[in-house]
Amino acid sequence: MTSPNGAPVRVGLFGLLGSGNLGNDGSLEAVLGYLRAEHPEAVVDALCGGPEVVAARYGIRATRLHWYRGEYRTASGAGAVAAKAAGKLADAVRTAVWVRRHDVVIVPGMGVLEATLPLRPWGFPYSLFLLCAAGRLFGTPVALAGVGAAAIGSRPTRALVRWSARLAAYRSYRDTLSRDAIRAMGVDTAHDEVYPDLAFALPAPPASAPSGRPGRVCVGVMDFHGGDDDRARAGEIHRRYLDETTRFVRALAEQGRPVRLLTGDECDAPVAAAILDAVDSPLVTAAGAASLTDLMKEVAAADSVVATRYHNLVCALKAGTPTLAVSYAAKSDALMARMGLGAYCHPAREVDAERLLEQFRELERRSAELRRTLTERNLLAARRLEHQFTALTAALFPAADHAHALREAS
């Protein structure tokens, strides 16, 4: 698609992309697939956390999100504090300049309107607010496409999230809970739609044929310390999660089941390593997945999946593999319910290996039935995502023409 003067429409993609989180990058990949299929003439670039990774992997120009490279390290001295403060001012200017160069900006999925994991208001919530405010200031429509949201306890974080949502030109959500959470913050969501997570738009590998005997189990682990409101007991939560997950994996290995450990973020690797060391069995190995596509190949070859990270669950469900969620947030419960597996959730803050084994055995007993259910639900998800991308085009690309005309006039 081109602007009124014949120039290609300039589309910016924004978020913590290329930063080691496979779910975020999977959402980016889904939106890039849509743009390349429906708007092949568009010139696409990104303002993101890992520009080198995004540029190398996806073939688009990318700019670093933060001027200060120590943004996500705790400032421990006067110099670091001053540098971080200067970075915040620099980022306001850099973000505004970047937004002004674009006709459309898309935030592709991700939990950008939630704080279900530890989060400081001056981190990504501030960055998102700068983006949406600049979009409104310069007439560049900003779309929050298929994003996640949740109730937020911190007043400063909640205020930044609320204003970001209000200033966005387009909003859609990956579940009803997210839309309800934004409505509860005082944002008018009357015209906002709910669609499946964007990662359901990625192609799924063929599922492995059942062998008739117990096969591999994929166990997705996470560097889990609770949420933003659990900071006081983060250590206790993590120890229980790690200890009980290790007990579960050991029990599977003792039963002769091959276990494949999965991660979804670079920070999860030490958890997988700790379980490998503790169990010390040739039946337990760890995958080195670098993308959601890699993860889907792993889970498609498994009999069953037990996972914590949200996009580990998405991959397993998309691949049609019976899945048990070790759930750390309501979004996981909602996802499982929507895919017909609502009975197979286990609390991540209170993991109990014995109870987890009981649920796992029940999951495997109903495996054939659940695979049929997932086939049906995935067809529905695919149709809904077609509507999502059609709606995104209708909302953004006529607006892109208008934004380009305004910029030319100024």
Side-chain angles (χ1 to χ4, degrees), residues 256-408:
R257 299 296 293 272
V259 177
R260 189 75 158 160
L261 300 180
L262 308 177
T263 58
D265 194 292
E266 291 175 353
C267 67
D268 301 332
V271 177
I275 294 172
L276 284 172
D277 289 343
V279 177
D280 191 22
S281 167
L283 289 172
V284 182
T285 58
S291 67
L292 287 195
T293 299
D294 290 345
L295 274 179
M296 275 196 240
K297 290 176 182 176
E298 292 283 351
V299 296
D303 279 6
S304 305
V305 175
V306 179
T308 305
R309 277 204 181 270
Y310 181 81
H311 279 97
N312 278 194
L313 297 174
V314 169
C315 285
L317 297 168
K318 169 71 177 178
T321 304
T323 302
L324 200 166
V326 181
S327 173
Y328 67 87
K331 63 183 179 182
S332 299
D333 298 338
L335 170 65
M336 296 292 285
R338 188 165 62 247
M339 297 301 289
L341 277 74
Y344 299 100
C345 295
H346 188 95
R349 287 170 179 78
E350 299 174 351
V351 179
D352 182 302
E354 294 301 325
R355 174 60 183 145
L356 195 57
L357 282 165
E358 291 175 8
Q359 290 179 286
F360 175 76
R361 285 190 285 267
E362 174 64 15
L363 179 83
E364 293 220 309
R365 188 183 67 80
R366 296 182 57 203
S367 177
E369 173 192 348
L370 296 176
R371 285 180 181 273
R372 289 192 294 271
T373 297
L374 288 173
T375 298
E376 295 167 1
R377 299 300 171 96
N378 274 310
L379 288 173
L380 292 174
R383 286 198 286 269
R384 286 293 294 155
L385 280 171
E386 288 176 4
H387 293 166
Q388 161 71 101
F389 292 132
T390 299
L392 202 56
T393 292
L396 289 187
F397 285 89
D401 291 346
H402 179 64
H404 193 96
L406 286 176
R407 197 157 21 252
E408 290 295 309

Side-chain angles (χ1 to χ4, degrees), residues 119-140:
L119 183 70
R120 300 295 189 187
W122 54 83
F124 189 77
Y126 171 76
S127 300
L128 185 65
F129 170 73
L130 291 178
L131 175 82
C132 295
R136 182 63 65 92
L137 178 65
F138 296 119
T140 301

Side-chain angles (χ1 to χ4, degrees), residues 58-384:
Y58 302 108
I60 62 174
R61 292 182 59 187
T63 303
R64 186 169 298 280
L65 179 58
H66 300 293
W67 174 81
Y68 178 53
R69 289 178 177 254
E71 171 63 30
Y72 292 105
R73 295 194 298 267
T74 301
S76 55
V81 171
K84 184 168 280 195
K88 296 301 174 188
L89 295 176
D91 287 346
V93 176
R94 293 172 70 253
T95 301
V97 169
W98 183 82
V99 168
R100 197 175 190 278
R101 292 203 305 262
H102 293 83
D103 300 303
V104 172
V105 173
I106 301 173
V107 180
M110 306 176 285
V112 297
L113 303 178
E114 64 182 48
T116 51
L117 298 175
L119 183 70
R120 300 295 189 187
W122 54 83
F124 189 77
Y126 171 76
S127 300
L128 185 65
F129 170 73
L130 291 178
L131 175 82
C132 295
R136 182 63 65 92
L137 178 65
F138 296 119
T140 301
V142 173
L144 307 180
V147 298
I152 298 173
S154 164
R155 292 180 66 182
T157 302
R158 186 169 63 249
L160 288 168
V161 165
R162 178 172 61 248
W163 277 104
S164 296
R166 283 177 173 169
L167 292 168
Y170 173 89
R171 296 179 299 269
S172 65
Y173 308 94
R174 63 189 180 192
D175 52 47
T176 303
L177 290 174
S178 295
R179 183 172 61 184
D180 292 346
I182 292 301
R183 181 186 297 125
M185 292 183 201
V187 178
D188 181 4
T189 62
H191 301 291
D192 298 355
E193 293 291 336
V194 173
Y195 300 100
D197 189 271
L198 291 172
F200 278 100
L202 297 174
S208 60
S211 64
R213 61 182 185 276
R216 176 190 291 179
V217 180
C218 283
V219 177
V221 300
M222 179 178 177
D223 184 28
F224 182 63
H225 295 76
D228 210 37
D229 298 329
D230 296 317
R231 292 178 183 271
R233 49 190 292 262
E236 171 194 341
I237 290 172
H238 181 68
R239 281 190 298 274
R240 175 166 181 169
Y241 173 83
L242 179 57
D243 291 348
E244 293 298 306
T245 303
T246 300
R247 285 184 61 207
F248 175 73
V249 171
R250 182 181 291 113
L252 291 178
E254 288 173 350
Q255 295 167 15
R257 299 296 293 272
V259 177
R260 189 75 158 160
L261 300 180
L262 308 177
T263 58
D265 194 292
E266 291 175 353
C267 67
D268 301 332
V271 177
I275 294 172
L276 284 172
D277 289 343
V279 177
D280 191 22
S281 167
L283 289 172
V284 182
T285 58
S291 67
L292 287 195
T293 299
D294 290 345
L295 274 179
M296 275 196 240
K297 290 176 182 176
E298 292 283 351
V299 296
D303 279 6
S304 305
V305 175
V306 179
T308 305
R309 277 204 181 270
Y310 181 81
H311 279 97
N312 278 194
L313 297 174
V314 169
C315 285
L317 297 168
K318 169 71 177 178
T321 304
T323 302
L324 200 166
V326 181
S327 173
Y328 67 87
K331 63 183 179 182
S332 299
D333 298 338
L335 170 65
M336 296 292 285
R338 188 165 62 247
M339 297 301 289
L341 277 74
Y344 299 100
C345 295
H346 188 95
R349 287 170 179 78
E350 299 174 351
V351 179
D352 182 302
E354 294 301 325
R355 174 60 183 145
L356 195 57
L357 282 165
E358 291 175 8
Q359 290 179 286
F360 175 76
R361 285 190 285 267
E362 174 64 15
L363 179 83
E364 293 220 309
R365 188 183 67 80
R366 296 182 57 203
S367 177
E369 173 192 348
L370 296 176
R371 285 180 181 273
R372 289 192 294 271
T373 297
L374 288 173
T375 298
E376 295 167 1
R377 299 300 171 96
N378 274 310
L379 288 173
L380 292 174
R383 286 198 286 269
R384 286 293 294 155

Side-chain angles (χ1 to χ4, degrees), residues 27-42:
S27 298
L28 166 63
E29 188 175 342
V31 169
L32 279 174
Y34 148 71
L35 290 171
R36 287 165 175 166
E38 301 299 328
H39 305 284
E41 302 86 3

